């Protein structure tokens, strides 16, 4: 069986706003592709516009939505219609049979009952080839190009329809990059184009119609150039076959052996999910040089650019796995983040089509430190990375989407005070980890004074440890712990967690954390307490229940909220201290009970490949406990044997970290 046949791209899509089984979309695209496509089945749910159980279909959506919590950046729908085409989703939707739909990494197919048409799609990097079969030639049949939220602008030139959208569903904070698109039809396949209410309805003159689509973040002219460069195949089926082979090659970069079919299907569904992000946001000019639209400069600049990645989530698993699986792409991606600093003046915190003010602190520090250890960043580029990291460690930004929150107070007090900032415990712990990352890069560069300064700062986590309770707690400017403490209370001083999940976030100095607890044995007992305490919670600073609380309580993993990233590394602290049996016990339970290849296959938000990478590491039997160290803890994984890029696991690790 081909690996691509093991993939369920609907894994995690059976989600809703109050309970996440992944909060994913079934994206049809190329690995790291510039353009992504998903079926839109019910847009009345806002950013949750797809559900695998829906029997309705509103169009294939060109989407740049990395997460429903981040929202959409430039969306357009393609929909076959007949007679009098409709604009609004509530009027245009067609019935479908979900079980008959075909959704694969490289291919999508839907039979529309109302429209009596079949629509198929297979992607290019910046667009797709789309094939529509109208089953009734006696009617007026149309290909509709439809806006999402914001009307599109169009131009029609013979058999080419072009335009742009400024659709933004959430968090419009600075400038917005338009998304441009071009559709090219064969001569004689279309006639007139109806333009109304921000939509374009293209009249089909043949029953079987195949057309090309490309997009751009730069201009219509660039979209046309992308179309000419990428649409070089013979026909739809040729491109589909090429895309299938491409996905097969990427999926086969990690080969596992196991007799358990569910594990195989879950593993390769996670591999697909891991290979989606970050999305390429650069294009090639007429000389094949990379260029991209820079929101910071509001113009087109040279260099690589990647989007749709939140570092508070992805630093924990994603980039360490990428270093092993696809080093060439890894190196380009890291270099692009340094280019972002040169263009914006700041390293990204959450990069979408525009930078986003989402999640605390700037955990890109760990990503860059890891890259330095893997030698993906060297020389002058590493010098620039260090300069950028030092800036955001000390200089407050005028823009909420950049810089470390509370950096001035942290530098002065040794912690972020709770009477100035919410989530102050996470801000302090993340800053301490980031300081350690700065020290590690300074060490590589031989900057002993900087290393010493930030090595000392990286111990700041000790300033918020409460020996009486054994938890990390917030302090005010006067140094007093917040009154009325409960370790089960979420929010306020903690990010999407309580003191239980947050207090182990000292990956860079576990020996120091053990010392605070009174030694290794006592820290291990604290871990035992963590897993033995029932999954109870209080809304706390949120004032209401958030979905991560609900998801934690759905499982009997104690206080290990594997639904969210703060708990990811905690089982592996056991392995670090030599308690492999306990580590393996919890890894087995977390993966068997929390993960599957099915539509509800994740225990919480699968944020841009990071939860998928967690499962992949668990199968392989290694985990990047401290990103920035370029090393792994080892344990018995779910798979019997693993090869990465044709090498046995040990050889692949040795090659990466030598």
């Amino acid at each position: 069986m081909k690996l691509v046949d093991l993939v369920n791209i609907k894994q995690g899509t059976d989600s809703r706003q109050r309970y996440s089984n992944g909060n994913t979309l079934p994206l049809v695209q190329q690995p790291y592709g510039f353009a992504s496509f998903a079926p839109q089945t019910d847009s009345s749910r806002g950013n949750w516009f797809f559900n695998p159980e829906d029997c309705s279909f509103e169009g294939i959506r060109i989407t740049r939505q990395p997460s429903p919590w981040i929202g959409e950046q430039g969306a357009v729908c393609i929909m076959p219609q007949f007679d009098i085409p409709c604009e609004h989703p509530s009027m245009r939707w067609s019935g479908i049979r979900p079980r008959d739909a075909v959704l694969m990494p490289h291919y999508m197919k839907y039979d529309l009952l109302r429209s009596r048409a079949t629509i198929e799609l297979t992607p290019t990097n910046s667009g797709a080839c789309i094939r529509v079969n109208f089953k009734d030639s006696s009617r007026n049949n149309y290909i509709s190009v439809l806006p999402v939220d914001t009307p599109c602008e169009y131009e029609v030139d013979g058999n080419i329809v072009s335009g742009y959208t400024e659709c933004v569903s959430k968090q419009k904070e600075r400038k917005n990059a338009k998304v441009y698109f071009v559709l090219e039809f064969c001569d004689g396949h279309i006639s007139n184009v109806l333009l109304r209410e921000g939509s374009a309805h293209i009249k089909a003159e043949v029953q079987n119609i195949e057309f090309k689509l490309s997009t751009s973040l730069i201009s219509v002219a660039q979209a046309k150039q992308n179309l000419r460069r990428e649409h070089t195949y013979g026909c739809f089926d040729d491109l589909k076959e090429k895309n299938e082979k491409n996905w097969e090659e990427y999926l086969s970069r990690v080969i596992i052996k196991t007799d358990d079919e569910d594990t195989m299907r879950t593993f390769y569904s996670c591999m697909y999910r891991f290979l989606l992000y970050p999305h390429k946001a650069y294009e090639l000019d007429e000389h094949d040089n990379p260029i991209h639209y820079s929101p910071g400069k509001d113009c087109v600049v040279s260099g690589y650019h990647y989007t749709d990645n939140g570092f508070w989530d992805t630093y924990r698993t994603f980039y360490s796995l990428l270093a092993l699986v696809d080093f060439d792409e890894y190196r380009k991606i890291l270099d692009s983040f340094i280019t972002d600093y040169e263009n914006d003046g700041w390293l990204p915190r959450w990069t979408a089509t525009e930078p986003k003010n989402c999640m605390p602190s700037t955990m890109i520090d760990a990503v860059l430190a890891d890259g330095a250890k893997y030698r993906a960043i060297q020389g002058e580029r590493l010098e620039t990375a260090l300069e950028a990291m030092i800036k955001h460690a000390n200089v407050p930004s005028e823009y909420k989407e950049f810089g470390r929150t509370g950096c001035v107070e942290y530098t002065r007090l040794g912690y972020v005070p709770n009477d100035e900032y919410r989530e102050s415990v996470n801000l302090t712990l993340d800053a301490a980890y980031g300081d350690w990352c700065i020290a590690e890069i300074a060490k590589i560069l031989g900057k002993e004074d900087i290393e010493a300064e930030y090595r000392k700062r990286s111990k700041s986590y000790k300033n918020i440890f409460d020996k009486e309770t054994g938890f990390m707690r917030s302090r005010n400017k006067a140094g007093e712990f917040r009154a009325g403490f409960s370790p089960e209370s979420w929010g306020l001083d903690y990010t999407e967690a309580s003191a239980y999940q947050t207090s182990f976030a000292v990956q860079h100095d576990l020996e120091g954390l053990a010392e605070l607890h009174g030694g290794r044995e006592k820290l291990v007992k604290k871990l035992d307490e963590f897993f033995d305490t029932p999954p109870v919670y209080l809304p706390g600073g949120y004032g209401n229940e958030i979905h991560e609380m609900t998801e934690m309580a759905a499982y009997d993993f104690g206080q290990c909220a594997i639904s969210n990233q703060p708990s990811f590394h905690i089982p592996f602290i056991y392995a670090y201290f030599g308690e492999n049996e306990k580590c393996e016990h919890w890894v087995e339970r977390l993966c068997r009970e929390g993960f599957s290849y099915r539509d509800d296959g994740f225990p919480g938000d699968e944020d841009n490949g990071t939860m998928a990478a967690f499962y992949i590491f668990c199968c392989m039997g290694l985990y990047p406990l401290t990103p920035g160290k370029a090393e792994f803890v080892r344990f018995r994984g779910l798979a019997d044997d693993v090869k990465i890029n044709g090498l046995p696991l040990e050889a692949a690790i040795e090659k990466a970290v030598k």
Side-chain angles (χ1 to χ4, degrees), residues 375-437:
R375 301 172 313 285
I377 315 172
Q378 296 178 307
E380 292 183 5
R381 299 303 277 170
L382 190 57
E383 294 273 3
T384 303
L386 180 62
E387 172 192 304
M389 293 164 71
I390 290 174
K391 177 180 178 180
H392 74 212
N394 297 282
V395 180
S397 170
E398 61 180 305
Y399 302 110
K400 292 181 180 179
E401 61 265 36
F402 293 121
R404 282 192 197 174
T405 303
C407 65
V408 173
E409 292 81 0
Y410 168 82
T411 303
R412 178 167 53 87
L413 298 172
Y415 59 90
V416 178
N418 62 25
D419 44 358
E420 293 285 340
Y421 300 95
R422 292 179 65 87
E423 303 181 338
S424 62
V425 171
N426 281 86
L427 290 172
T428 300
L429 296 175
D430 290 348
Y433 194 166
D435 286 342
W436 175 83
C437 294

Side-chain angles (χ1 to χ4, degrees), residues 175-189:
K175 300 181 182 71
N176 175 51
K178 296 176 181 177
V179 174
Y180 302 87
F181 53 84
V182 173
L183 291 81
E184 183 178 40
F185 296 83
C186 296
D187 291 336
H189 283 197

